[in-house]
Amino acid sequence: MSINSHSILKRQVTNEESLVTCPAFKSHRRKNYSWLRHGVLSWFGCWVFLICLLLSTTGYSRNLTSRPAVVNIGALFTFESSIGRVAKIAIQEAVKDVNANSSILRGTKLNVDVRNSNCSGFLGMVEALRFMETDIVAIIGPQSSVVARIISHVANQLQVPLLSFAATDPSLNSLQFPFFVQTTQSDLHQMAAISDVVDYYGWKQVTAIYIDDDYGRNGMSALGDKLAERRCRISYKVGVPPDSGVNGTDILDMLIKVASMESRVIVLHVNPDVGFEVFSVANRLQMMGNGWVWIATNWLSSVLDSASPLPSETMDSIQGVLFLRQHTPDSDRKRAFYSRWRKLTGGSLGLNSYGLYAYDSVWLIAHAIDAFFNQGGIISFSNDSRLRSVKDSGLHLEAMSIFDDGKLLLNNILQSDLVGLTGRIKFDTERSLILPAYDVNNVFGTGFKRIGYWSNYSGLTVVPPEMLYTKPPNRSSANQELYKVIWPGDTLFTPRGWAFANNGKQLRIGVPLRVSFREFVSQARGTDTFKGFCIDVFTSAITLLPYPVQYQFIPFGDGKNNPSYTELVYKITTGLFDAVVGDVAIVTNRTKILDFTQPYVASGLVVVAPFRKSNSGAWAFLGPFSARLWIVTGCFFFVVGLVVWILEHRINDEFRGPPKRQIITVIWFSLSTLFSTHRENTMSTLARFVLLIWLFVVLIINSNYTASLTSILTVHQLSSHIKGIESLKESDEPVGYQGSARSGSWVENLQKVAGVSHFQVTLP
C-alpha cells in the first residue's frame, strides 16, 4: 500500500469516509452508493465488502512495521532571487545524493516538492497550506524571515518541522515558534560581529539603514543590544519600505538626512535590490569618499558570490565597503562540491553560503527521518477537529492534516550531530547552530578580499576560527586583529567615524563668573569666550573624544561677587545646564545629586603663613650652629687633640719638644682633622682608634653644617607654628579661607568635623 493510502487510513474520518481505500471497493461504491445509503446491499456486495476490509487491514498492519517507499518533503523559497537560484540547484543535488546513498533511509526514497513563494508572505502562506494537503513531513525554507514568521504559525498547528537555510531573523528562535529551526547562522551573531568591528576601530556611534519589516527591525534590535554591551550605540535609524515601490527619490531624501548626522559609520541591513540602489545614490551624494564607513550585512555576500563579476558601475559604487559572510570551514568535501557545481552551472552561477546551508538542510532532514524510523516512528496524519467547522466554507481547509509524530521528528532534528559542507551541524540549548563564525571582507578593485574572521569563540582574528577551537578562548582587546582595510576614498587611514552635525544638539555648559582667582576661570571682557586653567582642561579633554561634542559656555553669576557653587551645581539637576566647568570642590552633599569627573587638582589642607627673613650678612656662616653648639664643638676639638698627645708623646718624636711647641701641636692637630690635613703621624694603635672615631664625627659635623647653611641661604623659613590639623585645633589664631557664606567650601565642613571654630572668611 502506498504511503498516501497509509496516511489516509490513520486519519480520524467520518462514517461516510471509512474504509474507502480499497481499490475494489471504490469501484463498487461508485456503482452502488445509493444502495448503501438506503441500506440495500446484496449478499454479493457484502462479501466484496468483507474481503476488501480484510485486505485493507492486512496492508495497514504491514505498513506499521515497515519503512515507506517514499517520504515527501517540501521546499519553499523565491526562485528568481540570488539565494533562490542557488538553493534550488543545491536542494535537488542533495536529494540525489541522499537517494544514491544506501547507508541512509535504507530503501526509502526522499521526494522534494519545490514551490515558489515569490518573496511574498501571502503567497508563502498559500503554498504552505497546499503542502499540508499532500502529507509533507518537513519543509525546507522559506528564505524570507517575514514569510517564515507567517508559515511558522501553520507549522506549529500542524506539527510539521520548518527548516530555514536563509531566514536569519533572531526572534524566530523564540519559544513562540517551536517547529521552526534555523539551519543557518542567526542575525544575533552577525550583529555581534558588526559590534566587535565597530568597537575594534574605536567608533562609538553608527547610523543604521534597514528594511522596515520583521527581518530588518529585529536585526536592528539585536544590533542595538550588542552595541550597548560595548558602550556604543545607534545614533540614528532610518527604515526603508519593504515593498518594491521605493524609488531613487525616496532614497535620496533618506541619505540627505543621514549625511546631516554626526555618525559617518553606516550599517546597511536591507535586501540586495534596495542595497545597490542605496550605494548608487550615496555615490552621487559623495558619501562613498574619505571619512565614510559602510558595513553591509551578509546580503551583499550572497550577490557577490553567486553573480560575480558584477557590472563595473556597480562595483565602482561599493568600493571600500566592509561586509560579512557566513564562515564555512574549508574541507575536501566542500572543494569537491564546488568543482561539481561549476560543471553543473557551467560557471554561469556561483555558489554562495546559503546554497551550502540548503544542501546541508536536506541531509539534516534525511538523518533525522532515518533516526525517526529507527525509533519506531510512523508517518501518519490525522484531521484537525478544529477545521470541521469550516468544511462547507469552500476553502477545503479540512484537507489539511496534523503530522502525528511531528514532535519526534523535530527532536531528532534538534539532536542531530553530523558534518556537512558548512562544517559541524549541531544545535545548542537555544536551538542555534554551535560555533557561529563570519568572514569579514573588504570590497576593492574588481573583487573583494578577506581581512579576517569573527567567531563567537575568539572574536576578531586573522586565523580561521576552526584552528582556535582547540585553544582556550581569548576575547581580550589585545588579541583582536584584522588586516589592513582599503576604505572608501581609496585610503588606508582609518576614518574617525564622525563629523560635526549640522543640526546637532549643543550641550549647555555652566561656567561661574568669578571675581577672585580668575586664573581658574574667567570671561574675556566684551566677548562670550572663557579662559583659565579649568577651561583649558575641558577643551583638551573634548579634543581627545572619538566622537563630536558641540557645546556652548553659559555664564553663571552677576560678575560682582563669586556665585554660589552649590546653587550652580543644583542647576544641573533642574536641567538648566548639562554640565558645569570650574573650580568646583567635591563635597559629600554634591556627590549625592550628580557625578564629578576625576579630580585634576589635588585638594587638601594647606597652611599659608608668613616667612622669616633670613640673615645673609657677614656673620651668616655662624647661623647653622647655636653658640652653645659652637662651644661644645670647640671643646671636643681640644679634648681629642689632648688625648692623642697623651697617647703619642712618649713614643712619637713629632709630639715632643718644648711646652709651647707641644701646645701648638695639640691645637693644630685637632683643628686640622676638620679638613684631614694634619701632618703628624700617629704610631699608637689606641691613638689611631681614637682618631678614626673622631674623623667620623667630624664628617657628620661637616655635613650638618653644609646642609644648614644651604637651607639658611636658599629657603625661606616659615614663622607659623601650625604644622597640621592638631596644632591648628590647639591654636587660637584666626585662620582665613577664600569663600562666602553660600560657597559650600569643604573648609566649612572641616569646621564641623575637626571642631575648629576660629575659621574666618576673608575673601568674598
Side-chain angles (χ1 to χ4, degrees), residues 227-390:
L227 286 172
E229 293 176 3
R230 292 153 182 81
R231 296 187 178 182
C232 306
R233 68 186 182 96
I234 301 176
S235 60
Y236 181 67
K237 292 191 295 186
V238 55
V240 179
D243 55 15
S244 58
V246 62
N247 53 43
T249 303
D250 297 330
I251 294 178
L252 178 64
D253 296 338
M254 175 192 68
L255 290 182
I256 290 175
K257 293 181 180 179
V258 171
S260 66
M261 300 299 165
E262 295 176 356
S263 175
R264 290 294 183 263
V265 181
I266 301 177
V267 177
L268 193 58
H269 186 54
V270 293
N271 56 47
D273 294 337
V274 174
F276 286 113
E277 182 67 22
V278 169
F279 283 132
S280 176
V281 176
N283 241 343
R284 297 200 300 268
L285 294 177
Q286 297 182 351
M287 295 175 64
M288 300 295 295
N290 289 338
W292 290 89
V293 177
W294 290 81
I295 303 176
T297 51
N298 51 16
W299 64 266
L300 183 56
S301 67
S302 65
V303 178
L304 292 176
D305 288 337
S306 59
S308 184
L310 296 176
S312 58
E313 60 272 14
T314 302
M315 291 302 299
D316 291 341
S317 67
I318 60 175
Q319 291 297 305
V321 174
L322 296 180
F323 68 92
L324 300 182
R325 175 177 57 191
Q326 295 99 330
H327 174 71
T328 55
D330 195 16
S331 64
D332 294 338
R333 185 180 176 189
K334 177 181 172 182
R335 287 191 293 269
F337 189 77
Y338 266 96
S339 177
R340 174 182 169 187
W341 184 271
R342 286 190 290 270
K343 294 179 181 179
L344 286 171
T345 62
S348 61
L349 182 64
L351 177 61
N352 55 41
S353 59
Y354 290 109
L356 299 177
Y357 282 110
Y359 181 91
D360 284 350
S361 298
V362 176
W363 277 92
L364 178 62
I365 292 178
H367 281 279
I369 293 175
D370 187 55
F372 173 83
F373 288 141
N374 292 337
Q375 296 168 357
I378 301 173
I379 297 180
S380 60
F381 298 83
S382 59
N383 286 346
D384 192 343
S385 59
R386 292 170 295 183
L387 297 177
R388 292 179 181 177
S389 60
V390 296

Side-chain angles (χ1 to χ4, degrees), residues 182-197:
Q182 280 181 331
T183 58
T184 186
Q185 303 295 344
S186 168
D187 275 344
L188 183 66
H189 304 299
Q190 180 173 208
M191 299 309 170
I194 293 176
S195 300
D196 279 353
V197 171

